[in-house]
Amino acid sequence: MALYLDFAAASDVGRVRKKNDDSGYAGRYLAVVADGMGGHVGGDVASASTVLDLVHLDHPDVAHPATTLADEIQSANIILNELVDANPKLSGMGTTVTALLLTGDRFRFAHIGDSRAYRLKDGVWEQISRDHTFVEKLLEEGRITPEEAKVHPHRNVIMRVLGDSDASPELDLQEFPVEPGEVWMLCSDGINAVVPEEETERIVRQSGSVEDAANALVQRTLELGSPDNVTAVVVQVLDDAATPPSLPRTPAEAADDPSPDTGQLRVAADGDLAANQAILRHEMANRPHSLVGAALLATESGQIPIVTQRSGERRAAALLNHKSAQAEADALAPEAELLTDEPRRRRGWVLPGILVVCIGLLASVLYFGYTWTQTRYFAGLDNGKVAVFQGVSQDIGPLKLSHVDTTTQVPVDVLPKFWQDKLSAGIPAENRQEAMDTLRLIVLKAKEQCTVVAPGAGGSVSSEAPAFCTEEVPQ
């Protein structure tokens, strides 16, 4: 029996706030709520960054399931520190995190801050999370009563959050066995601050679907005049005999959004904002999910570009590393098989045999190494002009490992410095098509420098324009 989640997420800015500092994500195997510190600059940045750095866990085969969720949240905290280093105006930002990861028949739960997690299982409704607040500490120590806690002047003071105030924040970590039918609700404190818990329980119990429950919780909070942002994520455990309403895209839809190639990943990993946004959108477009709040804004509109850029760089780098590791494993596989063969030789022939084998291996490596280089391509410079080469950009002494395949009239000095540096080093490609895609991108970038004449004004491009302005874009 394979388990997965039916899911829904809803969020609203509330009745008072000007921007939404909450972020939420729900998918087949992951649910997250993050409430950015609304009183600080960058609360939306903190919550969006954290959620977007966790969404890649939403798949059934997570490595090291016992520790991955906690490790990824700690990594998200490091990224928040990096964002502050890059932009000191974000100093002091922070976010809560309440996350649930389904691995096999277990839930991995991680929590910090005052967002909450509730579970409805076997007819029992209970709060799973513990608020990391000053008032909760006073309650645990018996210094105030629950009634006093509801009106305490410092009830909103949070003791533990992710952010630049703590290099290694302490998380509450738990593990729970999972059964089909159980329901979990994660929410920011915008809900529990105004909706009585018994009413929250009633809404979850009586809703016909997880989507109805999430929407009803947010709507009820707004009806009660919520002064804070409000976010709810509701998930229900299903087995493979059930069909949830949230289905993945069809193959035809997925074909309209092809996976990013190596060239695109390299550009994204180097910090290109548009490429980073494309990486994030592609990754989430190919799995059923619901993304809400500041994280949705960051992904779709780019209005929080520092989040989109940093998360895109990280995912692009991870995908590149995966491709490189796979390519290296594929390249080493034949040699590994060769080395597992145990030659049986007479003792007197051992040394000469080893010598012959070594010479043969060396010759084979050189031959196949050179042959392999000729299956590769790269974009580089030919006498100061942009070109595509067959081979690799390195040479071995007098031995040339590349030759010009396609050249253009684009001089390197008309390109931005980023492209000049990349072309000087050579932009590698797995095949000719990938190299030509890169070449087309560069030619189009160069043509942005060309003067365009309006139709009817004597042509489309000035006759005195540089040669590359009238050059056909390579196909």
Side-chain angles (χ1 to χ4, degrees):
M1 177 179 65
L3 300 178
Y4 51 93
L5 302 177
D6 190 14
F7 57 84
S11 185
D12 195 277
V13 71
R15 299 299 192 192
V16 177
R17 297 286 175 83
K18 299 298 183 183
K19 65 183 177 74
N20 196 345
D21 289 323
D22 286 0
S23 293
Y25 177 91
R28 285 285 176 84
Y29 304 95
L30 177 72
V32 187
V33 165
D35 182 356
M37 304 299 289
H40 297 295
V41 174
D44 51 348
V45 173
S47 71
S49 173
T50 300
V51 167
L52 292 175
D53 281 316
L54 295 177
V55 296
H56 69 280
L57 297 178
D58 186 16
H59 60 87
D61 302 314
V62 174
H64 313 295
T67 59
T68 294
L69 181 59
D71 291 344
E72 289 296 327
I73 292 176
Q74 293 289 357
S75 295
N77 187 69
I78 293 173
I79 290 173
L80 293 184
N81 282 269
E82 293 176 355
L83 294 179
V84 172
D85 289 341
N87 185 356
K89 291 182 180 180
L90 298 175
S91 179
M93 71 175 178
T95 183
T96 71
V97 181
T98 303
L100 198 62
L101 179 65
L102 178 63
T103 59
D105 61 352
R106 313 290 290 180
F107 264 137
R108 316 291 173 168
F109 177 74
H111 167 73
I112 187 169
D114 65 346
S115 296
R116 288 189 176 179
Y118 295 89
R119 180 180 66 179
L120 177 60
K121 183 175 184 179
D122 298 328
V124 177
W125 171 266
E126 61 180 325
Q127 179 179 338
I128 300 299
S129 60
R130 167 180 168 268
D131 294 347
H132 298 147
T133 61
F134 179 66
V135 166
E136 184 67 22
K137 187 174 186 296
L138 295 180
L139 273 172
E140 292 175 353
E141 294 174 353
R143 295 165 62 182
I144 60 173
T145 66
E147 291 71 25
E148 291 172 329
K150 293 178 181 179
V151 296
H152 196 283
H154 301 307
R155 60 185 179 277
N156 293 325
V157 176
I158 306 178
M159 306 293 289
R160 287 154 55 185
V161 293
L162 292 192
D164 66 333
S165 60
D166 192 345
S168 182
E170 181 183 356
L171 304 172
D172 286 351
L173 302 174
Q174 294 176 269
E175 180 182 328
F176 301 94
V178 176
E179 295 179 3
E182 66 181 84
V183 177
W184 286 68
M185 192 275 285
L186 313 183
C187 66
S188 61
D189 69 334
I191 289 182
N192 55 270
V194 297
V195 182
E197 186 167 328
E198 57 272 14
E199 186 171 1
T200 299
E201 177 184 352
R202 178 183 58 78
I203 290 173
V204 174
R205 284 183 181 274
Q206 296 180 1
S207 295
S209 67
V210 292
E211 184 175 7
D212 291 345
N215 290 333
L217 287 167
V218 171
Q219 184 59 39
R220 181 55 179 157
T221 306
L222 296 176
E223 291 172 356
L224 295 175
S226 173
D228 198 359
N229 308 143
V230 52
T231 299
V233 170
V234 183
V235 297
Q236 182 177 23
V237 179
L238 301 175
D239 61 33
D240 52 7
T243 303
S246 50
L247 295 176
R249 301 191 308 166
T250 65
E253 292 173 321
D256 294 334
D257 185 19
S259 300
D261 58 29
T262 303
Q264 290 171 310
L265 291 175
R266 289 195 177 97
V267 172
D270 286 336
D272 183 82
L273 180 58
N276 290 325
Q277 291 172 340
I279 293 293
L280 284 173
R281 282 195 294 266
H282 169 80
E283 182 166 308
M284 285 186 286
N286 285 276
R287 68 164 68 103
H289 75 280
S290 179
L291 184 69
V292 295
L296 177 63
L297 180 67
T299 304
E300 289 191 342
S301 69
Q303 291 188 34
I304 315 179
I306 191 170
V307 174
T308 308
Q309 182 168 352
R310 185 62 185 87
S311 298
E313 288 174 13
R314 183 173 184 235
R315 297 304 303 134
L319 290 170
L320 276 174
N321 288 338
H322 175 73
K323 283 194 172 187
S324 298
Q326 185 62 48
E328 182 178 352
D330 293 343
L332 290 176
E335 294 182 26
E337 293 177 2
L338 177 63
L339 293 175
T340 58
D341 294 335
E342 297 182 2
R344 294 178 174 84
R345 309 286 188 190
R346 292 179 179 270
R347 179 172 298 183
W349 292 95
V350 170
L351 186 57
I354 291 176
L355 184 59
V356 170
V357 169
C358 288
I359 293 173
L361 283 175
L362 179 59
S364 298
V365 167
L366 291 175
Y367 173 76
F368 288 109
Y370 177 79
T371 302
W372 174 85
T373 65
Q374 300 311 295
T375 67
R376 295 298 186 263
Y377 291 81
F378 69 93
L381 300 176
D382 178 32
N383 295 322
K385 302 291 182 63
V386 179
V388 162
F389 294 78
Q390 181 179 2
V392 296
S393 56
Q394 296 81 18
D395 294 329
I396 302 178
L399 178 61
K400 297 291 186 181
L401 298 181
S402 65
H403 61 273
V404 175
D405 177 89
T406 303
T407 189
T408 71
Q409 295 299 316
V410 177
V412 67
D413 55 8
V414 303
L415 296 170
K417 187 175 185 306
F418 166 80
W419 285 109
Q420 294 184 30
D421 294 342
K422 298 290 285 184
L423 287 166
S424 295
I427 304 175
E430 296 293 333
N431 50 54
R432 187 176 187 275
Q433 183 60 52
E434 184 177 309
M436 293 301 293
D437 289 343
T438 301
L439 186 66
R440 282 191 289 274
L441 177 64
I442 295 171
V443 170
L444 290 172
K445 175 63 68 173
K447 284 179 176 287
E448 294 176 3
Q449 311 298 319
C450 301
T451 301
V452 178
V453 179
S460 59
V461 180
S462 170
S463 60
E464 298 180 357
F468 70 87
C469 290
T470 58
E471 182 179 17
E472 292 290 332
V473 177
Q475 299 298 320

